[in-house]
Amino acid sequence: MAATTKGFVLYLLSGFSIAILSVLFINKNNYDIMNRSSNLLRSPVSSHTDRVWPELELNWRLVMATVIGFLGSACGTVGGVGGGGIFVPMLTLIVGFDTKSAAAISKCMIMGASASSVWYNLRVPHPAKEVPIIDYDLALLFQPTLMLGITVGVALSVVFPYWLITVLIIILFIGTSSRSFYRAIEMWKEETLLKNELTKAQGTVNSGGELLIDTEYEPLIPKEEKSELNDAVPCSTLYWALFCLQFPVSVLVFGYEAIKLYRDYKKRMSTGDTETICEASIQWSPLNIAFCALCGILGGTVGGLLGSGGGFILGPLLLEIGVIPQVASATATFVMLFSSSLSVVEFYLLKRFPIPYALYLMGVSILAGFWGQYFVRKLIAILRRASLIVFILSGVIFASALTMGVIGIEKSIGMIQKHEFMGFLDFCSSQ
């Protein structure tokens, strides 16, 4: 695993830890000033977020939400990040939902866009090999940890104060957008060199076509030859049973795939076979597998907490471990389909979104996911620049950092001025 990748994840973990620990300090000061109890889980009336659910009716707000939702879903699925960082500000500022309801609806939109994108990608060939463009080995490796993290993240979204969620958004989005943009520039330079070499070698390419760029996509690596939930009331026995059941299931599925990759890696190393097991070019050592598990849990937690989709971490991570952009986008979207579906179920059980609005915007996202994949793939085929996917990924994350960061800071300042409760909330009484 590259040192830069480990450094990036260390940055996220340290930033998140400092932000969360700062709640203790802020909460202590609030209680000292207001002479309150030191119980951090106390949830006064002012700490509750009123649910604001506008009616679904034809007006300028709905039109704007449709346009922004369509563009956000199209770009988000192409980049493999979902687009939740665009949906949440749109739903709060334009439509008028409260923040936590907006995060829940954004998950419904991500699920719809991911479903149509996966359906489209099932028909798309790999740009360099005769294998599916979706890497199912990587998907099966990250899926359990991502879904486990989302379960935790959804629960934390109810407990964490609004200002803390804002800080986490800024830390995550600025870090991932900067790293992705740097990665996109590197890929652009590699593509330029490859195109120049192909131009010079024109007319001397052998019959095997070893130097030819794929007719539809630009490969960045050498070609290889291998081929009753409705009754689950929040905090009820059934709810907590379903919540806890996910932990052993996730560990078992992840362990199965991790052992498989490790054994295949050891077998190939012993025979001197340097061919990669899956799209990732890393060595599947126990340390790197554990690192991938940590990233999956972190990405899922962030996705469930912010309603932004685990792709904000998974997409850049796949690029960092050597996956080409087309496969990284398709695989991240495939993983997000299941992880976002779990989030939708979680939010539905918590009664966090209105059904009519969620169904309408999900329909918009389904159309956007398909057409976004279609047009961007055609554009890549014309320009022969797979790095466009990474630029889109970086742009979506950066736009999310601006919109959600600015809105979050403004609202947090208002809460401070009103002397609202700034500590952790009680999970059950906050429903």
Side-chain angles (χ1 to χ4, degrees), residues 38 124 144 191 209 245 382 425:
S38 61
V124 175
E191 291 168 333
L245 180 62
I382 295 173
L425 308 178

Side-chain angles (χ1 to χ4, degrees), residues 5 8-9 11-12 16 81 168-184 295 298-299 302 306 308-317 319-320 390-401:
T5 305
F8 171 67
V9 176
Y11 152 78
L12 293 180
F16 285 6
V81 294
L168 297 182
I169 288 174
I170 296 174
I171 294 174
L172 172 68
F173 289 178
I174 289 181
T176 52
S177 63
S178 301
R179 182 59 189 164
S180 298
F181 184 74
Y182 174 75
R183 180 67 174 167
C295 292
L298 178 60
V302 170
L306 309 181
S308 60
F312 278 98
I313 285 184
L314 182 59
L317 174 64
L319 295 173
E320 290 292 335
V390 190
F391 278 113
I392 292 175
L393 181 149
S394 176
V396 171
I397 298 177
F398 184 71
S400 302

Side-chain angles (χ1 to χ4, degrees), residues 45-123:
V45 176
S46 60
S47 69
H48 287 277
T49 301
D50 294 331
R51 294 180 180 177
V52 182
W53 291 359
E55 294 292 331
L56 180 60
E57 55 185 8
L58 182 61
N59 51 36
W60 70 269
R61 297 178 184 274
L62 183 62
V63 173
M64 288 292 295
T66 302
V67 173
I68 297 175
F70 186 91
L71 296 176
S73 295
C75 295
T77 52
V78 168
V81 294
I86 296 176
F87 300 151
V88 173
M90 176 266 291
L91 290 168
T92 54
L93 288 181
I94 298 178
V95 182
F97 282 98
D98 64 276
T99 305
K100 292 186 177 181
S101 297
I105 296 178
S106 75
K107 277 296 184 181
C108 297
M109 299 176 68
I110 293 172
M111 182 180 69
S114 299
S116 61
S117 296
V118 168
W119 179 82
Y120 180 87
N121 286 326
L122 290 175
R123 304 164 180 262

Side-chain angles (χ1 to χ4, degrees), residues 319-340:
L319 295 173
E320 290 292 335
I321 62 177
V323 181
I324 61 175
Q326 299 97 315
V327 178
S329 171
T331 304
T333 304
F334 178 76
V335 172
M336 278 195 301
L337 171 60
F338 294 95
S339 60
S340 60

Side-chain angles (χ1 to χ4, degrees), residues 46-362:
S46 60
S47 69
H48 287 277
T49 301
D50 294 331
R51 294 180 180 177
V52 182
W53 291 359
E55 294 292 331
L56 180 60
E57 55 185 8
L58 182 61
N59 51 36
W60 70 269
R61 297 178 184 274
L62 183 62
V63 173
M64 288 292 295
T66 302
V67 173
I68 297 175
F70 186 91
L71 296 176
S73 295
C75 295
T77 52
V78 168
V81 294
I86 296 176
F87 300 151
V88 173
M90 176 266 291
L91 290 168
T92 54
L93 288 181
I94 298 178
V95 182
F97 282 98
D98 64 276
T99 305
K100 292 186 177 181
S101 297
I105 296 178
S106 75
K107 277 296 184 181
C108 297
M109 299 176 68
I110 293 172
M111 182 180 69
S114 299
S116 61
S117 296
V118 168
W119 179 82
Y120 180 87
N121 286 326
L122 290 175
R123 304 164 180 262
V124 175
H126 192 284
K129 310 172 187 177
E130 294 184 0
V131 295
I133 195 171
I134 299 174
D135 190 319
Y136 295 102
D137 283 329
L138 286 178
L140 188 59
L141 180 70
F142 285 105
Q143 188 70 76
T145 55
L146 196 66
M147 297 181 73
L148 181 62
I150 283 178
T151 299
V152 176
V154 170
L156 293 179
S157 70
V158 179
V159 176
F160 280 11
Y162 186 83
W163 70 266
L164 177 59
I165 296 179
T166 300
V167 172
L168 297 182
I169 288 174
I170 296 174
I171 294 174
L172 172 68
F173 289 178
I174 289 181
T176 52
S177 63
S178 301
R179 182 59 189 164
S180 298
F181 184 74
Y182 174 75
R183 180 67 174 167
I185 293 177
E186 288 183 331
M187 290 182 177
W188 183 277
K189 292 179 180 179
E190 292 175 6
E191 291 168 333
T192 301
L193 291 175
L194 182 57
K195 292 181 71 174
N196 292 338
E197 291 177 0
L198 291 174
T199 300
K200 295 178 182 179
Q202 188 173 10
T204 62
V205 179
N206 60 29
S207 59
E210 293 174 345
L211 292 179
L212 290 179
I213 299 177
D214 186 83
T215 56
E216 292 195 17
Y217 302 105
E218 174 82 5
L220 297 180
I221 58 175
K223 292 189 177 182
E224 300 176 9
E225 297 298 327
K226 81 163 186 180
S227 54
E228 303 56 19
L229 294 178
N230 292 337
D231 297 327
V233 180
C235 294
S236 66
T237 302
L238 177 58
Y239 177 86
W240 287 116
L242 293 173
F243 182 90
C244 297
L245 180 62
Q246 299 171 72
F247 287 83
V249 172
S250 299
V251 172
L252 288 175
V253 176
F254 174 81
Y256 169 80
E257 183 62 24
I259 293 174
K260 175 186 173 183
L261 289 174
Y262 177 72
R263 286 179 176 175
D264 288 346
Y265 169 73
K266 294 292 290 183
K267 181 179 180 181
R268 296 192 180 192
M269 289 294 293
S270 62
T271 59
D273 187 356
T274 59
E275 184 182 23
T276 57
I277 300 173
C278 55
E279 291 294 334
S281 59
I282 65 172
Q283 297 179 349
W284 290 108
S285 63
L287 180 61
N288 285 341
I289 291 176
F291 182 78
C292 289
L294 175 62
C295 292
I297 294 176
L298 178 60
T301 302
V302 170
L305 178 63
L306 309 181
S308 60
F312 278 98
I313 285 184
L314 182 59
L317 174 64
L318 292 177
L319 295 173
E320 290 292 335
I321 62 177
V323 181
I324 61 175
Q326 299 97 315
V327 178
S329 171
T331 304
T333 304
F334 178 76
V335 172
M336 278 195 301
L337 171 60
F338 294 95
S339 60
S340 60
S341 300
L342 176 62
S343 290
V344 170
V345 173
E346 293 269 354
F347 281 124
Y348 175 73
L349 294 177
L350 295 173
K351 298 179 175 60
R352 300 300 299 183
F353 61 83
I355 302 298
Y357 241 115
L359 290 178
Y360 171 75
L361 292 176
M362 189 186 303

